């Protein structure tokens, strides 16, 4: 894998390429990986997924949703990308399912890292971790770290120093086990932990940078997992710690931050130098019956009252609106279905509601990333962010009913 940052760009823009399995794939950054749970995009079959225009050529999966099934994937012999029919995409194996609430994460030990999956907590040594990855054969892998989950904002220095030491130790041992393994040479991304504390953060980053086998970094712990990922950046933007962490990282290695991040947070993080995100935000919007409708250009809409950041399709005011979710949207849902019909599907709890909303929300979010890259090229991201903030308004009042059961993981 090769990551090249464009030297002529106003802001950080780059390209990921030269993947061993898919040498022709090129991923523009800042970019967005397709979020999958258990190897599939929630609500969408492969046929339906392919109706979405300009899909990214890179997807995420996670140890936490798939490690229970490693024996089946191993038996398949062709790795997770082919097992899950994602073989035309670069597949990145992250550590955790970022759509799931993680109440407390402090269960790793000196020698093992914890992964929570449907079967409960499982401890993985570096040798166990490499064995799972040999079965998965993904194109890019996140090394397990002592991530803080939703306790990241409140953890003290003793906890965070312990997390730093365990994470760096696990990374060193994993790189040793990778040598001579079936997946030697697979790009390994280091987990950067340390909560909101500058010292463990920068020590973790500096120690990971010294390992030449590390191909990039996953910045953990700057937001909560699950639905609360969106709220974190609204309440507190720990930009100082993030900037100091990023300042320790080399320019020529990719930086990833996963989670359901609000588009305004994505704009901020891109300006700060984060390269890759994922579409789990659209999953959260779909689950609450929402449809993204924020502007995708710098041109202000004629009347602000006509435009919302997101519309709540469960609201009865949409029952008799026989227009697309968003006027001008070219997605399959907006081309064929109305707000009134999708409101009806949500009311009657039909699974098709999640399918149609997912198509629109992923389409809209991917167009947002195209607009983001344009803004970075034209040095207009500040103006676009200001426009989006005008339309953010207060978080909509949603009822608690979700399209499908909320994934959650606790210490059990
Ligand atoms: Zn649409």
């Amino acid at each position: 894998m090769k990551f090249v940052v464009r030297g002529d760009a106003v802001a950080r823009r780059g390209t990921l390429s030269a993947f061993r399995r898919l040498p022709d794939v090129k991923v523009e950054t800042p970019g967005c990986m397709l979020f999958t749970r258990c190897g599939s995009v929630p609500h969408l079959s492969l046929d339906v997924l392919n109706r979405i225009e300009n899909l990214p050529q890179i997807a995420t999966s996670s140890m936490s949703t798939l490690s229970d099934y490693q024996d089946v994937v191993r038996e398949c012999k062709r790795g997770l990308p082919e097992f899950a029919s994602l073989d035309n995409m670069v597949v990145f194996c992250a550590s955790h399912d970022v759509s799931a609430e993680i109440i407390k994460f402090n269960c790793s030990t000196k020698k093992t890292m914890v992964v929570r999956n449907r079967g409960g907590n499982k401890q993985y040594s570096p040798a166990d971790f490499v064995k799972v990855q040999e079965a998965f054969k993904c194109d890019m892998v996140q090394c397990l770290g002592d991530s803080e989950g939703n306790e990241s904002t409140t953890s003290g220095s003793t906890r965070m120093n312990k997390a730093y030491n365990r994470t760096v130790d696990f990374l060193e041992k994993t790189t040793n086990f990778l040598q001579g393994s079936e997946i030697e040479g697979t790009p390994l991304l280091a987990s950067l932990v340390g909560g909101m504390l500058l010292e463990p953060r920068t020590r973790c980053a500096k120690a990971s940078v010294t390992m030449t086998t590390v191909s990039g970094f996953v910045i953990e712990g700057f937001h909560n997992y699950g639905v609360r990922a969106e709220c974190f950046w609204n309440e507190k933007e720990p930009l100082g710690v993030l900037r100091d962490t990023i300042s320790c990282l080399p320019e020529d290695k990719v930086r990833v931050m996963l989670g359901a991040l609000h588009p305004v947070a994505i704009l901020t993080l891109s300006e700060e130098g984060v390269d890759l995100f994922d579409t789990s935000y659209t999953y959260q919007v779909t689950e609450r019956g929402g449809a993204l409708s924020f502007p995708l250009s710098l041109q202000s809409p004629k009347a602000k009252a006509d435009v919302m950041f997101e519309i709540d399709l469960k609201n009865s005011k949409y029952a008799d609106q026989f227009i697309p979710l968003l006027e001008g949207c070219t997605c399959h849902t907006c081309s064929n279905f109305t707000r009134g019909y999708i409101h009806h599907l949500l009311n009657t709890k039909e699974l098709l509601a999640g399918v149609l909303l997912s198509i629109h929300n992923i389409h809209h979010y991917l167009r947002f990333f195209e607009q983001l890259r344009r803004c970075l090229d034209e040095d207009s991201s500040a103006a676009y962010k200001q426009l989006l903030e005008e339309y953010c308004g207060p978080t909509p009042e949603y009822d608690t009913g979700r399209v499908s059961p909320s994934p959650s993981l606790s210490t059990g």
Side-chain angles (χ1 to χ4, degrees), residues 146-285:
D146 191 1
S147 306
E148 307 88 23
N150 287 353
E151 61 173 338
S152 60
T153 56
T154 54
S155 296
S157 58
T158 305
R159 166 73 187 107
M160 287 300 102
N161 279 316
K162 201 184 277 183
Y164 146 71
N165 283 321
R166 287 172 178 174
T167 299
V168 171
D169 188 52
F170 194 93
L171 179 63
E172 283 172 349
K173 288 181 175 142
T174 298
T175 56
N176 291 337
F177 276 103
L178 279 172
Q179 287 171 15
S181 73
E182 289 174 27
I183 54 164
E184 184 175 0
T186 298
L188 182 72
L189 273 58
S191 297
L192 299 185
V193 301
M196 293 301 114
L197 301 171
L198 189 57
E199 202 192 332
R201 271 270 164 216
T202 50
R203 278 168 65 201
C204 186
K206 285 175 183 170
S208 305
V209 166
T210 60
M211 291 182 221
T212 52
T213 47
V214 167
S215 300
F217 308 92
V218 181
I219 305 170
E220 296 261 30
F222 277 99
H223 59 81
N224 296 318
Y225 285 14
V227 290
R228 287 186 286 164
E230 287 177 65
C231 307
F232 185 90
W233 283 82
N234 293 340
E235 292 162 6
K236 185 180 176 186
E237 295 195 4
L239 278 180
V241 180
L242 178 69
R243 275 182 191 148
D244 285 334
T245 305
I246 287 178
S247 71
C248 301
L249 306 179
E251 280 291 306
D252 61 348
K253 291 191 177 175
V254 68
R255 305 151 184 178
V256 178
M257 192 181 282
L258 302 170
L261 291 159
H262 191 282
V264 173
I266 298 279
L267 277 159
T268 303
L269 292 163
S270 301
E271 289 166 353
E272 296 298 328
V274 180
D275 302 305
L276 268 182
F277 305 90
D278 70 282
T279 57
S280 55
Y281 179 75
T282 66
Y283 174 58
Q284 303 292 8
V285 175

Side-chain angles (χ1 to χ4, degrees), residues 138-150:
C138 288
D139 305 288
M140 197 163 74
V141 171
Q142 178 186 359
C143 189
L144 293 177
D146 191 1
S147 306
E148 307 88 23
N150 287 353

Side-chain angles (χ1 to χ4, degrees), residues 63-65 67-68 115-122 124 409:
M63 282 273 290
S64 59
T65 58
S67 58
D68 275 351
V115 173
R116 291 193 173 81
N117 47 35
R118 290 184 177 186
N121 291 350
K122 277 198 180 159
Y124 288 86
L409 299 165

Side-chain angles (χ1 to χ4, degrees), residues 218-386:
V218 181
I219 305 170
E220 296 261 30
F222 277 99
H223 59 81
N224 296 318
Y225 285 14
V227 290
R228 287 186 286 164
E230 287 177 65
C231 307
F232 185 90
W233 283 82
N234 293 340
E235 292 162 6
K236 185 180 176 186
E237 295 195 4
L239 278 180
V241 180
L242 178 69
R243 275 182 191 148
D244 285 334
T245 305
I246 287 178
S247 71
C248 301
L249 306 179
E251 280 291 306
D252 61 348
K253 291 191 177 175
V254 68
R255 305 151 184 178
V256 178
M257 192 181 282
L258 302 170
L261 291 159
H262 191 282
V264 173
I266 298 279
L267 277 159
T268 303
L269 292 163
S270 301
E271 289 166 353
E272 296 298 328
V274 180
D275 302 305
L276 268 182
F277 305 90
D278 70 282
T279 57
S280 55
Y281 179 75
T282 66
Y283 174 58
Q284 303 292 8
V285 175
T286 297
E287 289 304 288
R288 60 188 177 225
L292 294 173
S293 54
F294 60 85
L296 290 174
S297 83
L298 266 174
Q299 284 184 325
S300 296
K302 287 174 199 151
K304 190 178 167 187
D306 293 340
V307 181
M308 296 176 73
F309 190 87
E310 175 186 329
I311 57 178
D312 174 9
L313 265 295
K314 286 184 179 170
N315 191 312
S316 58
K317 73 180 179 184
Y318 297 109
D320 59 355
Q321 291 194 9
F322 307 114
I323 57 173
L325 293 176
L326 181 63
E327 290 287 358
C329 179
T330 58
C331 83
H332 174 74
T333 302
C334 291
S335 302
N336 296 284
F337 302 93
T338 65
R339 292 178 177 186
Y341 179 58
I342 295 169
H343 170 79
H344 159 76
L345 292 174
L346 285 167
N347 251 356
T348 51
K349 302 195 186 312
E350 286 294 330
L351 294 178
L352 185 59
V355 175
L356 297 179
L357 285 173
S358 289
I359 292 172
H360 169 79
N361 287 328
I362 292 174
H363 173 95
H364 197 80
Y365 204 58
L366 294 177
R367 298 295 83 73
F368 160 70
F369 271 87
E370 289 170 6
Q371 167 66 7
L372 161 65
R373 289 191 288 271
R374 261 195 305 277
C375 284
L376 291 177
D377 287 343
E378 295 164 0
D379 201 14
S380 59
S381 61
Y384 183 53
K385 188 158 74 174
Q386 192 181 347

